[in-house]
Amino acid sequence: MGAMVEIKNLSKRFGPITAVDDISFAVQRGEVLGFLGPNGAGKSTTMKMITGFLAPDSGSVRVGGDDLELSPMAVKQRIGYLPEGAPLYADMTPYAFLDFCAEIRGFRGDEKRRHLDDVVAKVHIEQVLSQPIATLSKGFKRRVGLAQAILHDPEVLILDEPTDGLDPNQKHEVRTLIRTMATEKAIILSTHILEEVDAVCTRAVIIAHGRLVCDGTPAELEARSRLHNAVTLLVRSGAINGAQQQLRALAGVDSVELLEEHDGVARFQIYPKDGHSIVSSVGEAAREGGWRIEELRVERGRLDEVFRAVTTGSTSREV
Amino acid sequence: MGHTWTILKRELASYFTTPIAYVFIVIYLFLSGIFAFYLGNFFGRGQADLNSFFTFHPWLYLFIIPALSMRLWAEERRSGTIELLLTLPITMWQAVAGKFLAAWAFMAIALALTFPMWWTVNYLGEPDNGVIVASYIGSLLMGGAFLAIGACISSLTRNQVIAFIVTAAACLLFVLSGHPLVLDFFKGWAPAFLLQAISSFGFLSHFDSITKGIIDLRDLVYFASFIAFWLFANVVVIEMKKAD
Ligand SMILES: Nc1ncnc2c1ncn2[C@@H]1O[C@H](COP(=O)(O)OP(=O)(O)OP(=O)(O)O)[C@@H](O)[C@H]1O
Ligand SMILES: [Mg+2]
């Protein structure tokens, strides 16, 4: 069996704008793919093409082995989709709305009841079931949207900014829910919150200006950061200048930055050459110099830094 | 078919969860009463029939049906639910037919609620009930034709006000094209077949012949193909303009 979702050379233009430009990737069962990119990068447009809402100008989408163009029904049945902003029929109650979705998904009678009870419990919307959706808080609306997406226990979940605008507790809940479903599904979620990638994603792609610029596990992406394997060192010492000199002279060290200094404590950031590990030589230098170390930490690298580098880098190349 | 029914149920229920249904029905009954009693001189004519009631239906529908059809698709676009609906495992035809049939069923309910008029004429005299049944059928068919235009135009925009005005204008065109005023304008110089074509293109000639009590297959075919054409256009418009 091939990948659960397979996208090949997908492109979409809106007049003069190329919203999606030759994007290809695949998602396996068990993977949670984080879909990153600046505003207007083409994330939502890509998702709309995968779910069959928009027809691509070129390229193909296969879901569970079926081609979207040839058998749209089979593909749509496999997918659960939460569109951006979680649009809902505002004048319906969550119960009536989910009941409608369940019937469209082909459930009747006891089976329908079971699926509804199940999903209502999963997203915790018991107390608002018979209140018009228009009067619900944003958090509840989002949960109703999620409920609709997972109602038929789809093999593929496409979630466009599922935690956008939620409070920290609700974000946490949604992420937990996604993680619990992750093992038996292929999930694609877009987000602007980079910590979310670490929290739930097994893999991340970054797109900018419709093009795929990065694809890897969160750890691989972090490794591309200038900060990867950098050492943060907090020392209490009279001879701060001397320490800086000594650090800079170490083999494997690219540069040393004095981040702050107060109350006789200095915080250094030591960048390695080519991302090699330098923590042992820094530790050794400290011991030899007799510095009093308050803190010594190895950085993994920061996603936001990588994000900025690859998404703004591609603009400067283009223009 | 099953999905069409599910969509129809949802749409129809949504008329009744909002005040739309009640406002529409009350105004519909009120206006059709006004037209029949004042303009049509229902009592003064001294005849036991519903002609004065049905004669005004094309004009009543001109602004009341666009009010019913304007939200069908424009609202889905505005709220973004169109993305939800069209990514469900249904075909475009099922979505279009389900919505149209819901609006039509709702119209049928409103029309059926005019039954006290029927009662009244039967109480006052001995009307030809066959003609009245035919007239009801004709009115329903014509309403369906108005609705099909309205559904298609509603799918062109996310703005309900625009949908309303454009639908009313389009319907006016089809009402007028069978009206004596317009036909007289062409009568002097246009060849007879053109006159015939213009008149048979509009609603009035078909509606009038049905309300006379003659259900002619040609009139049924006219309304059926008219509705089918506009629903087809509706499907095409949505396929083409999904992104906006
Ligand atoms: N219907 C449309 N008509 C014209 N242009 C569009 C349409 N939809 C999207 N675009 C354009 O396509 C580009 C990609 O938009 P898209 O919504 O996919 O971005 P995104 O990555 O989801 O952004 P965000 O993070 O802000 O949600 C943008 O430049 C947008 O203006
Ligand atoms: Mg988006």
Side-chain angles (χ1 to χ4, degrees), chain B residues 84-113:
Chain B
L84 212 60
L85 182 67
L86 298 183
T87 51
L88 289 173
I90 56 171
T91 66
M92 191 68 82
W93 266 107
Q94 288 167 334
V96 165
K99 275 175 167 286
F100 167 77
L101 290 175
W104 205 12
F106 180 72
M107 196 215 117
I109 293 171
L111 186 62
L113 287 177

PDB file of all heavy atoms in Angstrom, chain B residues 84-113:
ATOM      1  N   LEU B  84     -18.015  23.568   3.100  1.00  0.00           N
ATOM      2  CA  LEU B  84     -18.423  22.397   3.887  1.00  0.00           C
ATOM      3  C   LEU B  84     -19.325  21.497   3.047  1.00  0.00           C
ATOM      4  O   LEU B  84     -19.123  20.292   2.930  1.00  0.00           O
ATOM      5  CB  LEU B  84     -19.200  22.921   5.090  1.00  0.00           C
ATOM      6  CG  LEU B  84     -19.170  22.201   6.398  1.00  0.00           C
ATOM      7  CD1 LEU B  84     -17.765  22.127   6.917  1.00  0.00           C
ATOM      8  CD2 LEU B  84     -20.040  22.976   7.385  1.00  0.00           C
ATOM      9  N   LEU B  85     -20.330  22.121   2.443  1.00  0.00           N
ATOM     10  CA  LEU B  85     -21.346  21.380   1.701  1.00  0.00           C
ATOM     11  C   LEU B  85     -20.735  20.641   0.512  1.00  0.00           C
ATOM     12  O   LEU B  85     -21.019  19.464   0.284  1.00  0.00           O
ATOM     13  CB  LEU B  85     -22.417  22.361   1.206  1.00  0.00           C
ATOM     14  CG  LEU B  85     -23.589  21.754   0.445  1.00  0.00           C
ATOM     15  CD1 LEU B  85     -24.432  20.878   1.353  1.00  0.00           C
ATOM     16  CD2 LEU B  85     -24.457  22.840  -0.184  1.00  0.00           C
ATOM     17  N   LEU B  86     -19.881  21.320  -0.225  1.00  0.00           N
ATOM     18  CA  LEU B  86     -19.379  20.736  -1.468  1.00  0.00           C
ATOM     19  C   LEU B  86     -18.179  19.811  -1.272  1.00  0.00           C
ATOM     20  O   LEU B  86     -17.698  19.216  -2.219  1.00  0.00           O
ATOM     21  CB  LEU B  86     -19.047  21.835  -2.481  1.00  0.00           C
ATOM     22  CG  LEU B  86     -20.258  22.683  -2.901  1.00  0.00           C
ATOM     23  CD1 LEU B  86     -19.868  23.695  -3.959  1.00  0.00           C
ATOM     24  CD2 LEU B  86     -21.408  21.819  -3.393  1.00  0.00           C
ATOM     25  N   THR B  87     -17.698  19.690  -0.024  1.00  0.00           N
ATOM     26  CA  THR B  87     -16.668  18.685   0.221  1.00  0.00           C
ATOM     27  C   THR B  87     -17.274  17.446   0.890  1.00  0.00           C
ATOM     28  O   THR B  87     -16.567  16.504   1.215  1.00  0.00           O
ATOM     29  CB  THR B  87     -15.517  19.232   1.093  1.00  0.00           C
ATOM     30  OG1 THR B  87     -16.054  19.838   2.253  1.00  0.00           O
ATOM     31  CG2 THR B  87     -14.696  20.251   0.325  1.00  0.00           C
ATOM     32  N   LEU B  88     -18.579  17.480   1.105  1.00  0.00           N
ATOM     33  CA  LEU B  88     -19.261  16.264   1.559  1.00  0.00           C
ATOM     34  C   LEU B  88     -19.397  15.329   0.352  1.00  0.00           C
ATOM     35  O   LEU B  88     -19.372  15.782  -0.787  1.00  0.00           O
ATOM     36  CB  LEU B  88     -20.651  16.619   2.110  1.00  0.00           C
ATOM     37  CG  LEU B  88     -20.684  17.366   3.439  1.00  0.00           C
ATOM     38  CD1 LEU B  88     -22.101  17.811   3.775  1.00  0.00           C
ATOM     39  CD2 LEU B  88     -20.135  16.509   4.572  1.00  0.00           C
ATOM     40  N   PRO B  89     -19.557  14.034   0.606  1.00  0.00           N
ATOM     41  CA  PRO B  89     -19.645  13.098  -0.521  1.00  0.00           C
ATOM     42  C   PRO B  89     -21.008  13.147  -1.218  1.00  0.00           C
ATOM     43  O   PRO B  89     -21.779  12.199  -1.182  1.00  0.00           O
ATOM     44  CB  PRO B  89     -19.395  11.732   0.121  1.00  0.00           C
ATOM     45  CG  PRO B  89     -19.776  11.908   1.546  1.00  0.00           C
ATOM     46  CD  PRO B  89     -19.526  13.333   1.893  1.00  0.00           C
ATOM     47  N   ILE B  90     -21.292  14.300  -1.833  1.00  0.00           N
ATOM     48  CA  ILE B  90     -22.529  14.446  -2.605  1.00  0.00           C
ATOM     49  C   ILE B  90     -22.158  15.016  -3.965  1.00  0.00           C
ATOM     50  O   ILE B  90     -21.092  15.614  -4.112  1.00  0.00           O
ATOM     51  CB  ILE B  90     -23.530  15.405  -1.922  1.00  0.00           C
ATOM     52  CG1 ILE B  90     -22.875  16.770  -1.688  1.00  0.00           C
ATOM     53  CG2 ILE B  90     -24.021  14.844  -0.623  1.00  0.00           C
ATOM     54  CD1 ILE B  90     -23.832  17.838  -1.231  1.00  0.00           C
ATOM     55  N   THR B  91     -23.035  14.828  -4.939  1.00  0.00           N
ATOM     56  CA  THR B  91     -22.747  15.421  -6.248  1.00  0.00           C
ATOM     57  C   THR B  91     -23.321  16.836  -6.279  1.00  0.00           C
ATOM     58  O   THR B  91     -24.172  17.206  -5.471  1.00  0.00           O
ATOM     59  CB  THR B  91     -23.401  14.608  -7.380  1.00  0.00           C
ATOM     60  OG1 THR B  91     -24.824  14.717  -7.238  1.00  0.00           O
ATOM     61  CG2 THR B  91     -22.992  13.148  -7.338  1.00  0.00           C
ATOM     62  N   MET B  92     -22.815  17.618  -7.232  1.00  0.00           N
ATOM     63  CA  MET B  92     -23.297  18.979  -7.369  1.00  0.00           C
ATOM     64  C   MET B  92     -24.796  19.001  -7.651  1.00  0.00           C
ATOM     65  O   MET B  92     -25.529  19.842  -7.152  1.00  0.00           O
ATOM     66  CB  MET B  92     -22.537  19.635  -8.519  1.00  0.00           C
ATOM     67  CG  MET B  92     -22.744  21.104  -8.593  1.00  0.00           C
ATOM     68  SD  MET B  92     -22.005  21.923  -7.205  1.00  0.00           S
ATOM     69  CE  MET B  92     -20.339  22.010  -7.769  1.00  0.00           C
ATOM     70  N   TRP B  93     -25.256  18.023  -8.457  1.00  0.00           N
ATOM     71  CA  TRP B  93     -26.677  17.974  -8.789  1.00  0.00           C
ATOM     72  C   TRP B  93     -27.529  17.746  -7.549  1.00  0.00           C
ATOM     73  O   TRP B  93     -28.613  18.306  -7.416  1.00  0.00           O
ATOM     74  CB  TRP B  93     -26.950  16.877  -9.829  1.00  0.00           C
ATOM     75  CG  TRP B  93     -26.937  17.425 -11.208  1.00  0.00           C
ATOM     76  CD1 TRP B  93     -25.973  17.244 -12.153  1.00  0.00           C
ATOM     77  CD2 TRP B  93     -27.930  18.279 -11.812  1.00  0.00           C
ATOM     78  NE1 TRP B  93     -26.298  17.928 -13.298  1.00  0.00           N
ATOM     79  CE2 TRP B  93     -27.501  18.568 -13.116  1.00  0.00           C
ATOM     80  CE3 TRP B  93     -29.133  18.816 -11.372  1.00  0.00           C
ATOM     81  CZ2 TRP B  93     -28.221  19.371 -13.985  1.00  0.00           C
ATOM     82  CZ3 TRP B  93     -29.862  19.623 -12.236  1.00  0.00           C
ATOM     83  CH2 TRP B  93     -29.407  19.895 -13.529  1.00  0.00           C
ATOM     84  N   GLN B  94     -27.041  16.892  -6.664  1.00  0.00           N
ATOM     85  CA  GLN B  94     -27.804  16.626  -5.443  1.00  0.00           C
ATOM     86  C   GLN B  94     -27.932  17.885  -4.593  1.00  0.00           C
ATOM     87  O   GLN B  94     -28.989  18.174  -4.041  1.00  0.00           O
ATOM     88  CB  GLN B  94     -27.149  15.507  -4.636  1.00  0.00           C
ATOM     89  CG  GLN B  94     -27.324  14.146  -5.293  1.00  0.00           C
ATOM     90  CD  GLN B  94     -26.425  13.084  -4.691  1.00  0.00           C
ATOM     91  OE1 GLN B  94     -25.365  13.386  -4.152  1.00  0.00           O
ATOM     92  NE2 GLN B  94     -26.844  11.848  -4.787  1.00  0.00           N
ATOM     93  N   ALA B  95     -26.833  18.646  -4.517  1.00  0.00           N
ATOM     94  CA  ALA B  95     -26.868  19.876  -3.734  1.00  0.00           C
ATOM     95  C   ALA B  95     -27.834  20.882  -4.355  1.00  0.00           C
ATOM     96  O   ALA B  95     -28.678  21.470  -3.659  1.00  0.00           O
ATOM     97  CB  ALA B  95     -25.463  20.479  -3.634  1.00  0.00           C
ATOM     98  N   VAL B  96     -27.723  21.063  -5.667  1.00  0.00           N
ATOM     99  CA  VAL B  96     -28.566  22.043  -6.360  1.00  0.00           C
ATOM    100  C   VAL B  96     -30.037  21.634  -6.287  1.00  0.00           C
ATOM    101  O   VAL B  96     -30.913  22.444  -5.955  1.00  0.00           O
ATOM    102  CB  VAL B  96     -28.095  22.198  -7.826  1.00  0.00           C
ATOM    103  CG1 VAL B  96     -29.148  22.912  -8.659  1.00  0.00           C
ATOM    104  CG2 VAL B  96     -26.782  22.958  -7.866  1.00  0.00           C
ATOM    105  N   ALA B  97     -30.304  20.363  -6.561  1.00  0.00           N
ATOM    106  CA  ALA B  97     -31.691  19.893  -6.554  1.00  0.00           C
ATOM    107  C   ALA B  97     -32.274  19.950  -5.147  1.00  0.00           C
ATOM    108  O   ALA B  97     -33.417  20.383  -4.955  1.00  0.00           O
ATOM    109  CB  ALA B  97     -31.767  18.472  -7.108  1.00  0.00           C
ATOM    110  N   GLY B  98     -31.497  19.541  -4.157  1.00  0.00           N
ATOM    111  CA  GLY B  98     -31.984  19.536  -2.785  1.00  0.00           C
ATOM    112  C   GLY B  98     -32.396  20.924  -2.329  1.00  0.00           C
ATOM    113  O   GLY B  98     -33.461  21.114  -1.741  1.00  0.00           O
ATOM    114  N   LYS B  99     -31.545  21.901  -2.635  1.00  0.00           N
ATOM    115  CA  LYS B  99     -31.856  23.273  -2.222  1.00  0.00           C
ATOM    116  C   LYS B  99     -33.074  23.808  -2.964  1.00  0.00           C
ATOM    117  O   LYS B  99     -33.959  24.423  -2.373  1.00  0.00           O
ATOM    118  CB  LYS B  99     -30.649  24.170  -2.498  1.00  0.00           C
ATOM    119  CG  LYS B  99     -29.650  24.146  -1.374  1.00  0.00           C
ATOM    120  CD  LYS B  99     -28.445  24.952  -1.750  1.00  0.00           C
ATOM    121  CE  LYS B  99     -27.605  25.200  -0.531  1.00  0.00           C
ATOM    122  NZ  LYS B  99     -28.207  26.210   0.370  1.00  0.00           N
ATOM    123  N   PHE B 100     -33.094  23.567  -4.271  1.00  0.00           N
ATOM    124  CA  PHE B 100     -34.217  24.065  -5.063  1.00  0.00           C
ATOM    125  C   PHE B 100     -35.534  23.450  -4.582  1.00  0.00           C
ATOM    126  O   PHE B 100     -36.523  24.155  -4.349  1.00  0.00           O
ATOM    127  CB  PHE B 100     -33.999  23.762  -6.544  1.00  0.00           C
ATOM    128  CG  PHE B 100     -35.230  23.953  -7.380  1.00  0.00           C
ATOM    129  CD1 PHE B 100     -35.653  25.220  -7.732  1.00  0.00           C
ATOM    130  CD2 PHE B 100     -35.985  22.855  -7.779  1.00  0.00           C
ATOM    131  CE1 PHE B 100     -36.802  25.408  -8.476  1.00  0.00           C
ATOM    132  CE2 PHE B 100     -37.149  23.037  -8.525  1.00  0.00           C
ATOM    133  CZ  PHE B 100     -37.559  24.311  -8.869  1.00  0.00           C
ATOM    134  N   LEU B 101     -35.520  22.135  -4.400  1.00  0.00           N
ATOM    135  CA  LEU B 101     -36.752  21.453  -4.000  1.00  0.00           C
ATOM    136  C   LEU B 101     -37.230  21.909  -2.623  1.00  0.00           C
ATOM    137  O   LEU B 101     -38.428  21.986  -2.366  1.00  0.00           O
ATOM    138  CB  LEU B 101     -36.541  19.936  -4.026  1.00  0.00           C
ATOM    139  CG  LEU B 101     -36.397  19.336  -5.431  1.00  0.00           C
ATOM    140  CD1 LEU B 101     -36.064  17.861  -5.355  1.00  0.00           C
ATOM    141  CD2 LEU B 101     -37.677  19.549  -6.245  1.00  0.00           C
ATOM    142  N   ALA B 102     -36.273  22.237  -1.745  1.00  0.00           N
ATOM    143  CA  ALA B 102     -36.666  22.722  -0.421  1.00  0.00           C
ATOM    144  C   ALA B 102     -37.412  24.044  -0.548  1.00  0.00           C
ATOM    145  O   ALA B 102     -38.463  24.248   0.073  1.00  0.00           O
ATOM    146  CB  ALA B 102     -35.436  22.880   0.466  1.00  0.00           C
ATOM    147  N   ALA B 103     -36.858  24.947  -1.361  1.00  0.00           N
ATOM    148  CA  ALA B 103     -37.514  26.246  -1.550  1.00  0.00           C
ATOM    149  C   ALA B 103     -38.885  26.060  -2.203  1.00  0.00           C
ATOM    150  O   ALA B 103     -39.858  26.731  -1.848  1.00  0.00           O
ATOM    151  CB  ALA B 103     -36.630  27.162  -2.396  1.00  0.00           C
ATOM    152  N   TRP B 104     -38.918  25.136  -3.123  1.00  0.00           N
ATOM    153  CA  TRP B 104     -40.188  24.893  -3.836  1.00  0.00           C
ATOM    154  C   TRP B 104     -41.225  24.291  -2.892  1.00  0.00           C
ATOM    155  O   TRP B 104     -42.396  24.664  -2.907  1.00  0.00           O
ATOM    156  CB  TRP B 104     -39.935  23.976  -5.041  1.00  0.00           C
ATOM    157  CG  TRP B 104     -40.941  24.137  -6.125  1.00  0.00           C
ATOM    158  CD1 TRP B 104     -41.883  25.126  -6.257  1.00  0.00           C
ATOM    159  CD2 TRP B 104     -41.119  23.275  -7.262  1.00  0.00           C
ATOM    160  NE1 TRP B 104     -42.614  24.950  -7.390  1.00  0.00           N
ATOM    161  CE2 TRP B 104     -42.183  23.825  -8.034  1.00  0.00           C
ATOM    162  CE3 TRP B 104     -40.498  22.109  -7.708  1.00  0.00           C
ATOM    163  CZ2 TRP B 104     -42.614  23.232  -9.218  1.00  0.00           C
ATOM    164  CZ3 TRP B 104     -40.932  21.526  -8.894  1.00  0.00           C
ATOM    165  CH2 TRP B 104     -41.979  22.084  -9.640  1.00  0.00           C
ATOM    166  N   ALA B 105     -40.788  23.361  -2.076  1.00  0.00           N
ATOM    167  CA  ALA B 105     -41.696  22.744  -1.109  1.00  0.00           C
ATOM    168  C   ALA B 105     -42.224  23.802  -0.150  1.00  0.00           C
ATOM    169  O   ALA B 105     -43.407  23.816   0.202  1.00  0.00           O
ATOM    170  CB  ALA B 105     -40.969  21.645  -0.337  1.00  0.00           C
ATOM    171  N   PHE B 106     -41.330  24.700   0.233  1.00  0.00           N
ATOM    172  CA  PHE B 106     -41.767  25.770   1.146  1.00  0.00           C
ATOM    173  C   PHE B 106     -42.814  26.648   0.476  1.00  0.00           C
ATOM    174  O   PHE B 106     -43.817  27.024   1.074  1.00  0.00           O
ATOM    175  CB  PHE B 106     -40.567  26.606   1.581  1.00  0.00           C
ATOM    176  CG  PHE B 106     -40.945  27.714   2.505  1.00  0.00           C
ATOM    177  CD1 PHE B 106     -41.310  27.434   3.811  1.00  0.00           C
ATOM    178  CD2 PHE B 106     -40.987  29.031   2.058  1.00  0.00           C
ATOM    179  CE1 PHE B 106     -41.704  28.451   4.660  1.00  0.00           C
ATOM    180  CE2 PHE B 106     -41.383  30.044   2.909  1.00  0.00           C
ATOM    181  CZ  PHE B 106     -41.734  29.761   4.213  1.00  0.00           C
ATOM    182  N   MET B 107     -42.570  26.965  -0.802  1.00  0.00           N
ATOM    183  CA  MET B 107     -43.531  27.759  -1.555  1.00  0.00           C
ATOM    184  C   MET B 107     -44.871  27.031  -1.648  1.00  0.00           C
ATOM    185  O   MET B 107     -45.938  27.642  -1.526  1.00  0.00           O
ATOM    186  CB  MET B 107     -42.962  28.002  -2.948  1.00  0.00           C
ATOM    187  CG  MET B 107     -43.664  29.105  -3.690  1.00  0.00           C
ATOM    188  SD  MET B 107     -43.734  28.701  -5.445  1.00  0.00           S
ATOM    189  CE  MET B 107     -45.485  28.606  -5.663  1.00  0.00           C
ATOM    190  N   ALA B 108     -44.784  25.718  -1.838  1.00  0.00           N
ATOM    191  CA  ALA B 108     -46.018  24.927  -1.936  1.00  0.00           C
ATOM    192  C   ALA B 108     -46.812  25.002  -0.630  1.00  0.00           C
ATOM    193  O   ALA B 108     -48.037  25.083  -0.639  1.00  0.00           O
ATOM    194  CB  ALA B 108     -45.675  23.476  -2.267  1.00  0.00           C
ATOM    195  N   ILE B 109     -46.063  25.007   0.492  1.00  0.00           N
ATOM    196  CA  ILE B 109     -46.749  25.110   1.790  1.00  0.00           C
ATOM    197  C   ILE B 109     -47.486  26.448   1.890  1.00  0.00           C
ATOM    198  O   ILE B 109     -48.649  26.515   2.278  1.00  0.00           O
ATOM    199  CB  ILE B 109     -45.728  24.966   2.944  1.00  0.00           C
ATOM    200  CG1 ILE B 109     -45.171  23.541   2.964  1.00  0.00           C
ATOM    201  CG2 ILE B 109     -46.375  25.313   4.276  1.00  0.00           C
ATOM    202  CD1 ILE B 109     -44.005  23.353   3.923  1.00  0.00           C
ATOM    203  N   ALA B 110     -46.785  27.522   1.498  1.00  0.00           N
ATOM    204  CA  ALA B 110     -47.410  28.848   1.556  1.00  0.00           C
ATOM    205  C   ALA B 110     -48.643  28.902   0.656  1.00  0.00           C
ATOM    206  O   ALA B 110     -49.692  29.427   1.040  1.00  0.00           O
ATOM    207  CB  ALA B 110     -46.393  29.917   1.144  1.00  0.00           C
ATOM    208  N   LEU B 111     -48.505  28.324  -0.533  1.00  0.00           N
ATOM    209  CA  LEU B 111     -49.628  28.321  -1.485  1.00  0.00           C
ATOM    210  C   LEU B 111     -50.804  27.518  -0.927  1.00  0.00           C
ATOM    211  O   LEU B 111     -51.964  27.922  -1.030  1.00  0.00           O
ATOM    212  CB  LEU B 111     -49.151  27.729  -2.818  1.00  0.00           C
ATOM    213  CG  LEU B 111     -50.125  27.767  -3.993  1.00  0.00           C
ATOM    214  CD1 LEU B 111     -50.483  29.205  -4.352  1.00  0.00           C
ATOM    215  CD2 LEU B 111     -49.525  27.055  -5.206  1.00  0.00           C
ATOM    216  N   ALA B 112     -50.480  26.407  -0.298  1.00  0.00           N
ATOM    217  CA  ALA B 112     -51.536  25.548   0.242  1.00  0.00           C
ATOM    218  C   ALA B 112     -52.297  26.259   1.355  1.00  0.00           C
ATOM    219  O   ALA B 112     -53.479  25.999   1.574  1.00  0.00           O
ATOM    220  CB  ALA B 112     -50.929  24.249   0.767  1.00  0.00           C
ATOM    221  N   LEU B 113     -51.610  27.185   2.033  1.00  0.00           N
ATOM    222  CA  LEU B 113     -52.258  27.881   3.144  1.00  0.00           C
ATOM    223  C   LEU B 113     -53.276  28.920   2.671  1.00  0.00           C
ATOM    224  O   LEU B 113     -53.926  29.571   3.479  1.00  0.00           O
ATOM    225  CB  LEU B 113     -51.201  28.546   4.030  1.00  0.00           C
ATOM    226  CG  LEU B 113     -50.405  27.554   4.892  1.00  0.00           C
ATOM    227  CD1 LEU B 113     -49.324  28.271   5.681  1.00  0.00           C
ATOM    228  CD2 LEU B 113     -51.346  26.813   5.842  1.00  0.00           C
TER     229      LEU B 113
END
